Structure formats: C-alpha cells, structure tokens
Amino acid sequence: MAENSPAARPFLIKGLNIWQRLKGRNHPETAALWHTPGYSYKALGNLDEALKSYELAFAIWKSTLPQDHPHLAACSNNLGALHKKLGKLAHSRLYYQQTLAIWQLQPQRYRDEIAIAQNNLGALLCQTDNWAAARPHLEQALKTHQQLWGHKHPDTACVHSNLAYWFYLAGNLEQAEAHYMAALHIYEQTLGPNSLQTATAHNALAQLRKQIIMVARSDSLNIAWMPLSSSS
C-alpha cells in the first residue's frame, strides 16, 4: 500500500497535526488519523511508534464512541496483534479478549468478526499454556468458519492448524494429525501446492510424524511421554 511507504509518512503526520488543530485532539476522526500511521509504522518495522499510534487512537475512541463500536474492536485487535509480535503475550491476551467482547455485543451482525477473534484468542491461549481456555474458542471458531465460509476456505484451514497444535500440546497426536491434514488439503486446493501456507502445513506434519514415531518407540520401551509446552 502506498500509505505504508516512507515517502507517505510525513504527509500523514502533517495531515494529523492540521486535523488536531481543526477538530481537537479528542475527536473520533482525530483518532482515525492516529490509527492510520500505525499501519505505516508497523509495515516499516517501527513497532514502538506503531504501538504509540494505536494506543492514542484507542484511548480517544474509548472515551468518545459507544462501547460496541467496530472502531474500538478493530483497534483493540491491532493492539493485540502488535503486542503478540513484541512478545508481550499477557498484554496481547487482554486486547484479544477485549476485541472478542466488543464484537460479541452484536453477535448477529458480527459473526465473522467473532469467529476471527475467537481463533486469534484461542491460538494465543495455546502459546501461553492456557489449554483449557483455548479449546472452546478454537472449536467455536472452526464451526463458525465452516458455516460462513465453507469447509474449503483458507481461513478455515488456519483454524484447523491452530486446533491441531492444541491437540498436539494435549498429547492427542491422532487428532493433531487429522487437523493438520485437513489444513494441508485446503491450502493445496485453494492456494496451490507451492504456497507458503502449504509449505508450513507440510512442515508441521513432518514434525508431528517424527513425534508420533518417537512416542511409538517410547511406548514399546514403557517410557512415559509428555507433550511439549508451547514455550519450548
């Protein structure tokens, strides 16, 4: 996108400064102008500046918009993703939970947004070893994705992959393999055999099958096996 280029950034900031003089610092449209440079900073790898932009936008919208406004949910989601990228998983969890809660205030209107939020939150909970909390989010996300976009959509495959990881962590390698295979077949059919997602699914299956062989050998020797934690 052109707005993510270094050449565009000075114009975005200048426009923001003018808007703040005209509308004030706490106007919802000023928040929108703070939010836009956040995308630019993130694309350029300046995550600290992106975080500052998103936080300013979120603070303004939170004080000026209804609690169920989609701008709040979108900005909260961006903050969750950015904190995750920065490795601040506790902060990421709070924002992802807030995102889901906002969308759920209008469940019939935002079914697809709720499904995406559940998938994001479920995947993050797996990373932080909150397995019990993760599973219902991921299972509901898969159900909703299949209802809204079908069983052969790339986003459905993404949820299959996250569920596969959940079952892997729980030690159910058979179910993990089934979900990874489902994801692989969808990616191959929709994105092609040479896509990055297809390659990632192949790699995940290869690693899983190595683990299955190790478990089989351990069983033959009566050695107890425990699933790897997500922090390993």
Side-chain angles (χ1 to χ4, degrees):
M1 294 178 63
E3 68 180 21
N4 289 334
S5 69
R9 185 170 50 179
F11 295 99
L12 290 170
I13 299 303
K14 187 172 183 179
L16 173 60
N17 290 333
I18 295 171
W19 197 264
Q20 286 183 141
R21 290 198 298 270
L22 294 173
K23 293 286 189 176
R25 291 181 176 272
N26 294 315
H27 193 282
E29 294 181 25
T30 303
L33 291 177
W34 270 117
H35 199 235
T36 300
Y39 290 107
S40 180
Y41 286 130
K42 184 179 179 182
L44 296 170
N46 193 338
L47 302 186
D48 289 336
E49 286 298 321
L51 184 61
K52 177 182 175 182
S53 292
Y54 287 150
E55 286 178 339
L56 285 168
F58 188 73
I60 295 170
W61 276 331
K62 197 169 184 179
S63 65
T64 57
L65 295 177
Q67 63 176 348
D68 62 350
H69 199 284
H71 286 353
L72 276 173
C75 190
S76 180
N77 182 71
N78 288 338
L79 281 164
L82 190 55
H83 278 293
K84 182 179 180 181
K85 194 174 183 69
L86 289 166
K88 300 177 180 179
L89 301 187
H91 288 81
S92 179
R93 177 180 178 176
L94 290 174
Y95 280 111
Y96 276 151
Q97 287 174 327
Q98 190 166 211
T99 301
L100 178 59
I102 294 170
W103 291 129
Q104 286 178 329
L105 292 172
Q106 299 187 64
Q108 295 305 313
R109 184 175 183 180
Y110 294 118
R111 287 187 67 201
D112 51 348
E113 287 84 358
I114 290 170
I116 293 169
Q118 286 178 317
N119 183 51
N120 290 341
L121 179 57
L124 182 73
L125 290 170
C126 282
Q127 284 187 259
T128 56
D129 292 339
N130 290 283
W131 304 344
R135 184 174 182 176
H137 289 298
L138 292 173
E139 289 181 335
Q140 184 58 49
L142 180 61
K143 181 180 179 180
T144 307
H145 274 69
Q146 290 173 335
Q147 290 173 345
L148 294 176
W149 302 309
H151 289 253
K152 300 299 181 181
H153 193 280
D155 288 347
T156 304
C158 179
V159 188
H160 272 298
S161 293
N162 288 332
L163 263 172
Y165 186 56
W166 187 94
F167 280 111
Y168 167 72
L169 293 174
N172 189 333
L173 302 190
E174 183 178 348
Q175 282 296 313
E177 183 176 30
H179 281 288
Y180 275 137
M181 284 297 299
L184 175 61
H185 290 154
I186 296 169
Y187 286 140
E188 285 180 330
Q189 293 172 18
T190 58
L191 302 180
N194 299 315
S195 71
L196 177 61
Q197 292 86 343
T198 301
T200 300
H202 274 295
N203 184 62
L205 271 167
Q207 296 300 318
L208 178 65
R209 285 176 175 171
K210 286 181 183 179
Q211 191 70 63
I212 290 172
I213 293 172
M214 290 174 61
V215 171
R217 289 174 178 172
S218 297
D219 288 344
S220 67
L221 297 173
N222 293 319
I223 299 173
W225 176 81
M226 292 295 292
L228 295 174
S229 70
S230 59
S231 58
S232 296

